Amino acid sequence: MSTELCKLKKSLKGDLPSYVLLVNQPRFVCTNCGRVANKKKNLCSPKRIKDL
Ligand SMILES: [Zn+2]
């Protein structure tokens, strides 16, 4: 399974608690699809929020 949240739409509803753990303290935003995540590896086009 991909670790990129951008591609996890199908599994999101079935495992929301696990998803929340990846996004509850977001430091990166995906410049491609607008999602946020704690770790850049979870986004397909990550950008540090701090740098924006
Ligand atoms: Zn993305």
Side-chain angles (χ1 to χ4, degrees):
M1 187 175 74
S2 171
T3 58
E4 293 178 2
L5 301 179
C6 312
K7 301 175 182 175
L8 288 182
K9 292 179 182 177
K10 291 182 179 178
S11 59
L12 174 58
K13 292 180 181 178
D15 197 2
L16 188 59
S18 293
Y19 176 82
V20 170
L21 287 176
L22 298 176
V23 301
N24 59 358
Q25 295 180 315
R27 289 166 50 215
F28 297 90
V29 59
C30 181
T31 60
N32 190 43
C33 34
R35 290 172 183 272
V36 295
N38 301 354
K39 299 178 181 178
K40 63 181 180 181
K41 73 174 183 179
N42 295 127
L43 299 171
C44 65
S45 184
K47 174 79 174 179
R48 286 181 67 100
I49 292 175
K50 188 178 180 180
D51 293 339
L52 295 178

